[in-house]
Amino acid sequence: MVWKVNEISVIERRQIRVVNKELAREVSLWALNSSCSSKEFLEKVKDTNIVLKNEVYKQIDQRRFERKLFKVLVTSDGNLANDLTIKYWKEVLKENERLRFSQMSRQAFELLGKVYKYNEYEKRDGSLVTKVREGDVIIADEKSVNKELMKHLMSIQRDPDRGLYEDQPLIPFPMLGSSTVDEMREMLGIITTHKALTGDLISDVLLSVENIERTCEIFKDFWNAIPIDELHFRNRLVALNKKHPDIPRRDQFRPIIISSLLIKVLEARLVKPLRDYMTHHLHSSQVGFVPEMDIFVNLSRLFHYTHKRRERRLRSFLLFLDFSSAYNTVLHEKLKLFDLLSEKSVLTSLEVQLSKAIYSRNTIELGEESFKPNVGVAQGSIVSPYLFNVYAEDMLLGLEKEGWRGDDLYGYADDHLVVSGSIIQLKRAIEIVVR
């Protein structure tokens, strides 16, 4: 067979920067095993970041393909190639079935997703944003794209009228006292591992089975107002294309914010009191992120409630609410999130100060662009779902004060349902929600 090639197009290949995980692992283990306290650990990591700043990130191709099958095919032709192909895939899938029922099941399902694409049905977030559309103009320059994406995120999460963190002195970390090793083990046990890393050379190898005891011992004094370098509060923005495979506008991306493991460790101190509030004090119609609860609790409630009303020939008017960018629009100050945490006795004054200290340092970065958000709860934070529940609870309490019963109200994080018995009451519910 002879192929006549009239034109060859150059396939666009984009180099992307990724965190050097191997280096982060080495630095974290070295600092862990050569330190006697969390302060000493942080000093070692800071010094290493200065020395190895050019090695923290590495460049890779956007796509990497395995060539195992290709190597087999180029050695043969005709029917033999087809037979080898079939044999190859039979062996691959047989091995994958073995993995699927082992501790490597995640790896097995990743392969099935790549082969059968079952996990990409109507998938929206299929790629990173490398270009944006502004009217009929397509912006492809990386720096310009980053600028457009950050400009949109800033329009949501930065309000100049509410006091910018850049214009205020950093809020000091409170002296919360040391924890015991057992308390540390419980706190660190809630942090999920195998997540993306930031560029501060802190690896989740600290939480592995073989290192957890040492980590608990070193970090038990972490909340004694020790200085923490600002490099640990640089959160990476990863922009996923919501219009994949099309080129999105600057507002058509899903922001994934990657934060340092150290921030999660800091926040772990707040999980226990927040969970206690979720369990014993939060409005009973809210089941999102509440221990021992899930969406099926409210589905069951709604089914039985509407069934009873239909039996009595009563009409129901259902107002479904799904707030746009709900987590990104939580207000921090002026009788908002931090004040609510104090007023409702969710956290002590020192615990609220810890949360404020973290937020006063948090920075979102994309390439050379960066800003400090003063609106919204931090994405990727282990306590943000709880903070949002506290913040959004007043809407449910307000509806209850206006005559709605607990049976009429349903909440799952930022998804809400308000049941009314008449059009007039429905309109009133809308007015209250808008207010």
Side-chain angles (χ1 to χ4, degrees):
M1 180 182 290
V2 177
W3 286 356
K4 184 179 180 183
V5 181
N6 294 322
E7 182 181 346
I8 297 177
S9 300
V10 177
I11 298 173
E12 184 180 352
R13 284 281 184 260
R14 179 171 176 258
Q15 291 279 320
I16 57 174
R17 292 169 74 244
V18 296
V19 174
N20 191 334
K21 289 186 177 181
E22 295 79 12
L23 180 62
R25 178 186 175 88
E26 289 176 19
V27 171
S28 295
L29 285 175
W30 167 73
L32 180 69
N33 293 315
S34 60
S35 302
C36 297
S37 66
S38 57
K39 182 179 180 181
E40 188 179 351
F41 175 92
L42 293 175
E43 288 171 351
K44 290 179 182 293
V45 170
K46 180 182 177 180
D47 292 341
T48 308
N49 266 277
I50 295 171
V51 174
L52 301 177
K53 63 180 179 180
N54 295 326
E55 299 177 41
V56 172
Y57 287 91
K58 59 182 181 180
Q59 300 280 351
I60 64 166
D61 287 330
Q62 192 172 11
R63 294 178 179 177
R64 286 178 173 176
F65 296 102
E66 270 193 291
R67 294 293 187 179
K68 291 179 183 177
L69 180 58
F70 179 73
K71 291 175 182 176
V72 175
L73 292 177
V74 295
T75 60
S76 56
D77 58 357
N79 293 329
L80 180 59
N82 291 332
D83 293 341
L84 285 170
T85 305
I86 293 168
K87 181 181 178 183
Y88 169 83
W89 284 110
K90 279 184 176 179
E91 290 175 355
V92 167
L93 295 176
K94 182 179 178 181
E95 172 63 13
N96 208 62
E97 280 297 284
R98 185 188 69 78
L99 292 177
R100 196 156 66 90
F101 296 99
S102 72
Q103 291 181 328
M104 305 292 287
S105 59
R106 179 177 178 178
Q107 180 181 324
F109 278 105
E110 284 177 357
L111 176 71
L112 291 175
K114 290 176 184 176
V115 174
Y116 295 110
K117 305 297 182 185
Y118 72 87
N119 59 340
E120 293 187 7
Y121 178 66
E122 290 189 345
K123 188 173 182 179
R124 294 183 298 172
D125 303 338
S127 62
L128 296 175
V129 177
T130 57
K131 301 176 182 178
V132 291
R133 184 186 298 278
E134 190 69 40
D136 295 329
V137 179
I138 294 176
I139 303 170
D141 173 65
E142 185 176 352
K143 289 185 178 180
S144 301
V145 171
N146 291 348
K147 193 170 186 176
E148 291 298 313
L149 296 177
M150 290 289 273
K151 191 187 296 182
H152 171 69
L153 198 59
M154 284 175 65
S155 69
I156 300 172
Q157 289 197 256
R158 192 172 187 269
D159 186 352
D161 297 329
R162 294 194 173 271
L164 299 176
Y165 286 122
E166 295 96 320
D167 300 335
Q168 304 168 21
L170 292 175
I171 296 171
F173 285 105
M175 180 73 75
L176 286 172
S178 298
S179 300
T180 65
V181 171
D182 288 339
E183 288 171 337
M184 285 298 303
R185 197 181 296 111
E186 183 182 354
M187 283 188 282
L188 299 183
I190 64 176
I191 300 175
T192 333
T193 55
H194 304 297
K195 297 287 186 180
L197 305 179
T198 59
D200 64 351
L201 294 180
I202 301 292
S203 166
D204 59 8
V205 70
L206 300 175
L207 305 181
S208 62
V209 175
E210 61 271 21
N211 297 315
I212 190 66
E213 292 300 318
R214 176 72 178 167
T215 303
C216 289
E217 186 65 40
I218 294 298
F219 279 89
K220 64 184 180 182
D221 66 339
F222 197 37
W223 296 273
N224 283 340
I226 63 170
I228 304 175
D229 194 85
E230 56 90 22
L231 72 93
H232 301 296
F233 298 93
R234 294 176 184 169
N235 301 286
R236 285 199 299 132
L237 169 63
V238 176
L240 297 183
N241 183 3
K242 291 174 71 172
K243 300 296 288 183
H244 177 78
D246 299 328
I247 297 174
R249 298 193 310 267
R250 74 178 188 184
D251 62 336
Q252 293 177 321
F253 73 96
R254 189 177 304 282
I256 304 299
I257 310 297
I258 300 168
S259 57
S260 169
L261 176 70
L262 281 188
I263 296 181
K264 295 180 174 67
V265 175
L266 274 173
E267 292 180 328
R269 185 74 180 250
L270 306 175
V271 170
K272 192 171 183 179
L274 284 167
R275 277 186 174 171
D276 180 72
Y277 186 85
M278 298 298 110
T279 305
H280 302 293
H281 306 288
L282 186 69
H283 195 280
S284 59
S285 67
Q286 174 63 268
V287 300
F289 307 112
V290 176
E292 310 299 330
M293 295 284 184
D294 61 26
I295 190 61
F296 293 101
V297 174
N298 273 353
L299 287 173
S300 177
R301 285 182 58 217
L302 180 62
F303 175 81
H304 291 292
Y305 179 66
T306 52
H307 182 68
K308 286 180 182 178
R309 287 185 65 84
R310 288 185 67 182
E311 282 185 335
R312 295 164 57 195
R313 297 182 180 277
L314 297 174
R315 301 179 77 182
S316 299
F317 298 85
L318 277 59
L319 172 62
F320 288 93
L321 303 167
D322 184 3
F323 296 104
S324 176
S325 296
Y327 288 78
N328 291 334
T329 51
V330 170
L331 302 177
H332 294 181
E333 298 288 1
K334 297 184 181 178
L335 297 176
K336 294 301 177 183
L337 178 62
F338 296 130
D339 298 302
L340 289 171
L341 292 171
S342 297
E343 289 171 11
K344 296 183 177 185
S345 300
V346 182
L347 300 176
T348 66
S349 59
L350 291 179
E351 288 168 340
V352 173
Q353 185 181 336
L354 172 60
S355 191
K356 283 183 175 182
I358 294 170
Y359 274 91
S360 73
R361 289 165 172 79
N362 270 345
T363 303
I364 297 177
E365 297 184 344
L366 179 61
E368 297 176 2
E369 302 294 322
S370 67
F371 76 97
K372 281 189 174 184
N374 65 336
V375 176
V377 288
Q379 192 192 106
S381 157
I382 60 177
V383 297
S384 284
Y386 305 137
L387 297 178
F388 180 82
N389 275 356
V390 174
Y391 181 80
E393 182 183 24
D394 279 4
M395 187 186 76
L396 297 168
L397 294 170
L399 286 162
E400 210 166 43
K401 288 178 182 177
E402 295 286 345
W404 277 264
R405 300 173 304 156
D407 284 346
D408 303 323
L409 305 173
Y410 303 80
Y412 188 82
D414 62 328
D415 290 307
H416 291 77
L417 168 62
V418 183
V419 180
S420 300
S422 68
I423 288 287
I424 294 174
Q425 193 182 25
L426 173 63
K427 289 180 178 178
R428 178 69 181 139
I430 294 172
E431 290 173 4
I432 293 168
V433 169
V434 170
R435 186 186 70 206

